[in-house]
Amino acid sequence: MPHRSPDLARLAMTVLQPGFDGTEPPGWLRRALGEEGLGGTVLFARNLTGSAHTADLVARLRAENPAVVVAVDEEGGSVTRLQAARGSSWPGNRALGVGDDVERTRLVAQEIGRLLAAADITLDYAPVADVNANPANPVIGVRSFGPDPELVSRHTAAWILGLQDIGVAACAKHFPGHGDTHTDSHHALPTVHASLELLAERDLPPFRAAVAAGVRAIMCGHLLVPALDPDNPATLSWRIVTGLLREEMGFDGMIVTDAIEMRAVAALHPPGEIAVRALLAGADAICAGISSPGGESVHELRDAIVDAVREGRLPEERLAEAASRVLALSRWYAASGAVEARAAQSAARARDGDGPKDEDLGLRTALAAMRVVGTPPALSGPPLVVDIAPRLSQAVEPGTPTGLIGAFTELMPGTTGHIITMETAELPELSGSGDEGRPLVLVVHDAWRHPWVRDLLARAVALRPDAIVVETGVPGEPTGAVYVTTNGISRASARAVAHWLATDPEGAR
């Protein structure tokens, strides 16, 4: 009979990174951290109400387990948790790629790192290292630095170096590359139809760059990549996780799964089976973004892992190895200087307010990413801003606004805003031209991907040929008197457009 550790349940809890509901740590989570050895947790916007609350929440988690790996998705741009209420202070990856200044990318990542360090957060599930080879990709899009592997590689490395300079661990995702898919893995299992040669030339270089830059963690995507493994999604594939990432690419940091409740894998196996198969494949941490109210689902994951060891399916040595990598990440964070950065950042915020250290960095970065077709006049008065808003990916917090209405209202009181959704797909009154009525700004996101958005946009431009069109997603065919592309959604991008149009559109850039 092989030796069985008396701490098997504790090892199993160490590799779990569950989310939770509410703005206070529930009792089951506190007990799991304090008594049962839970090794991690992941925060979402639903848990956070402001920087002071976030820091207090994390402090309460660490009071139960000082070594807990606290993770969050803080990519900048459209995917922000700590700044979800008002929008990110920094443009996302596509804007950084369009501006193509790796030093600016490093500085933006440093600012995000300071935000996280001030809250004592261990791990950022960022950057996205996917090459957005398929413009119609419904989940990556502006979250990618762009469609060119070399550009994505150098900005991925710069982002990692900037974040980890502050002492917060980076996590490159979604290995081995989610950029060439037609399917959002939140809804179904995407397939990457690419040869080994194409994967090596296009999708893998940014992850190689991440490893070379010393990234502390890598997240596996829920992707079927037949050229690498025709039978198993990457998250559950020994060939991809261990054979490719560990053995061939030499990565020795922590490997974490994407959230296991995503339909790409949840449709294939029960949660406990997903966790066991991911560990067998070589993953070290299991992200479970949604947990049951009493934590029963987390304990079911633990029990499935323990049962798999006792049944001989999962070697105890593999589980112990996974737990050791989680603990190694925690030790790296404790020694990284992030605690000192947190103290300095907290003191600076107490002195200077709650904004980022260099708020102008976001505005400058957003301006560098803007591209314009046409020559807009300075606005003659407060505009009508019509935001034709499709549903964004589930990676983005529900109801995330483009921010253009608010940004114009701040600069030009009297601005009127109107939001159109697919359920209310009707235009407001748009009659009049720029000379006879108020200026018109039409805001869209990936308009070319959504037929109902294209239809409304065409109707609006036909009624108002003088309209200024602002595209916040991947650009399409220019339309309107002026076509402005921000290459991303963020508070910074919205402010950049509003400032540019409201002040001196000919001389501002």
Side-chain angles (χ1 to χ4, degrees):
M1 175 78 64
H3 170 69
R4 297 301 183 208
S5 167
D7 295 323
L8 194 55
R10 195 170 188 87
L11 285 176
M13 288 295 277
T14 301
V15 304
L16 301 180
Q17 294 185 357
F20 60 94
D21 288 333
T23 57
E24 300 297 329
W28 70 262
L29 180 61
R30 295 197 305 272
R31 289 190 296 275
L33 289 168
E35 301 169 13
E36 301 169 15
L38 182 64
T41 188
V42 55
L43 303 178
F44 293 90
R46 66 179 184 260
N47 306 124
L48 311 174
T49 62
S51 60
H53 169 265
T54 302
D56 179 67
L57 173 62
V58 175
R60 293 179 67 185
L61 298 173
R62 292 201 184 281
E64 304 292 346
N65 178 4
V68 61
V69 173
V70 182
V72 71
D73 285 286
E74 193 65 39
E75 299 174 10
S78 59
V79 177
T80 175
R81 308 307 188 213
L82 274 70
Q83 296 189 313
R86 68 170 191 165
S88 179
S89 298
W90 302 280
N93 283 4
R94 183 179 173 89
L96 292 168
V98 168
D100 197 14
D101 181 336
V102 292
E103 177 61 13
R104 183 180 279 127
T105 294
R106 186 183 69 82
L107 291 173
V108 167
Q110 280 189 340
E111 287 299 307
I112 292 174
R114 289 188 178 98
L115 177 72
L116 302 185
D120 205 7
I121 290 171
T122 317
L123 172 66
D124 191 0
Y125 289 153
V128 170
D130 304 315
V131 177
N132 197 48
N134 179 3
N137 191 314
V139 66
I140 301 302
V142 294
R143 298 168 64 201
S144 166
F145 290 111
D148 176 63
E150 199 279 327
L151 178 143
V152 175
S153 296
R154 63 177 180 265
H155 285 275
T156 294
W159 210 101
I160 289 164
L161 292 171
L163 187 79
Q164 295 189 169
D165 278 349
I166 302 301
V168 176
C171 179
K173 62 186 183 186
H174 307 80
F175 187 81
H178 204 325
D180 187 14
T181 63
H182 290 85
T183 304
D184 183 343
S185 50
H186 292 87
H187 301 297
L189 179 63
T191 299
V192 178
H193 298 285
S195 65
L196 287 173
E197 293 75 18
L198 182 57
L199 291 168
E201 293 172 4
R202 182 191 66 192
D203 298 281
L204 296 181
F207 292 98
R208 295 188 187 279
V211 173
V215 71
R216 305 305 305 183
I218 290 178
M219 177 181 284
C220 272
H222 300 318
L223 313 160
L224 187 65
V225 189
L228 297 174
D229 186 335
D231 302 316
N232 301 292
T235 320
L236 312 181
S237 170
W238 186 94
R239 295 183 192 178
I240 294 173
V241 177
T242 297
L244 177 58
L245 183 53
R246 284 274 186 238
E247 296 179 353
E248 183 182 328
M249 296 175 64
F251 179 63
D252 194 40
M254 188 187 80
I255 297 175
V256 60
T257 70
D258 209 341
I260 62 171
E261 70 271 11
M262 294 166 64
R263 292 297 297 167
V265 290
L268 302 177
H269 306 288
E273 182 66 13
I274 295 169
V276 169
R277 291 186 180 220
L279 289 164
L280 279 167
D284 306 303
I286 309 299
C287 175
I290 298 175
S291 300
S292 57
E296 300 89 353
S297 61
V298 175
H299 293 111
E300 288 168 4
L301 291 174
R302 175 201 62 191
D303 293 345
I305 294 168
V306 169
D307 288 346
V309 174
R310 289 175 173 161
E311 293 164 3
R313 290 184 59 209
L314 175 65
E316 184 176 333
E317 296 75 16
R318 168 79 273 272
L319 178 59
E321 177 188 53
S324 72
R325 287 203 177 96
V326 174
L327 295 172
L329 180 67
S330 176
R331 289 193 298 273
W332 175 88
Y333 173 76
S336 69
V339 175
E340 291 79 3
R342 177 193 175 191
Q345 182 76 345
S346 296
R349 288 188 172 179
R351 183 181 66 249
D352 303 328
D354 198 39
K357 177 183 175 185
D358 184 1
E359 190 163 10
D360 285 343
L361 174 64
L363 188 60
R364 294 195 306 272
T365 303
L367 282 167
M370 278 175 48
R371 297 294 181 266
V372 181
V373 178
T375 304
L379 296 180
S380 58
L384 167 62
V385 182
V386 178
D387 194 336
I388 307 173
R391 292 191 186 97
L392 301 176
S393 160
Q394 285 189 25
V396 180
E397 291 295 333
T400 295
T402 60
L404 267 294
I405 294 173
F408 274 106
T409 301
E410 285 180 13
L411 283 176
M412 305 182 76
T415 293
T416 300
H418 188 91
I419 297 177
I420 303 173
T421 66
M422 188 164 60
E423 291 77 15
T424 61
E426 291 296 333
L427 292 169
E429 175 58 46
L430 301 179
S431 61
S433 68
D435 294 329
E436 300 168 355
R438 63 170 55 208
L440 175 62
V441 178
L442 301 168
V443 186
V444 293
H445 185 83
D446 287 353
W448 58 276
R449 286 206 306 112
H450 303 280
W452 72 271
V453 176
R454 291 200 310 270
D455 176 65
L456 282 180
L457 181 61
R459 286 163 51 195
V461 170
L463 289 168
R464 290 288 299 272
D466 61 306
I468 297 167
V469 176
V470 180
E471 169 62 77
T472 65
V474 176
E477 187 68 27
T479 186
V482 180
Y483 183 72
V484 183
T485 56
T486 65
N487 291 291
I489 292 176
S490 68
R491 180 171 181 267
S493 298
R495 291 178 62 233
V497 172
H499 276 268
W500 183 68
L501 287 170
T503 55
D504 183 11
E506 294 192 24
R509 295 185 70 246

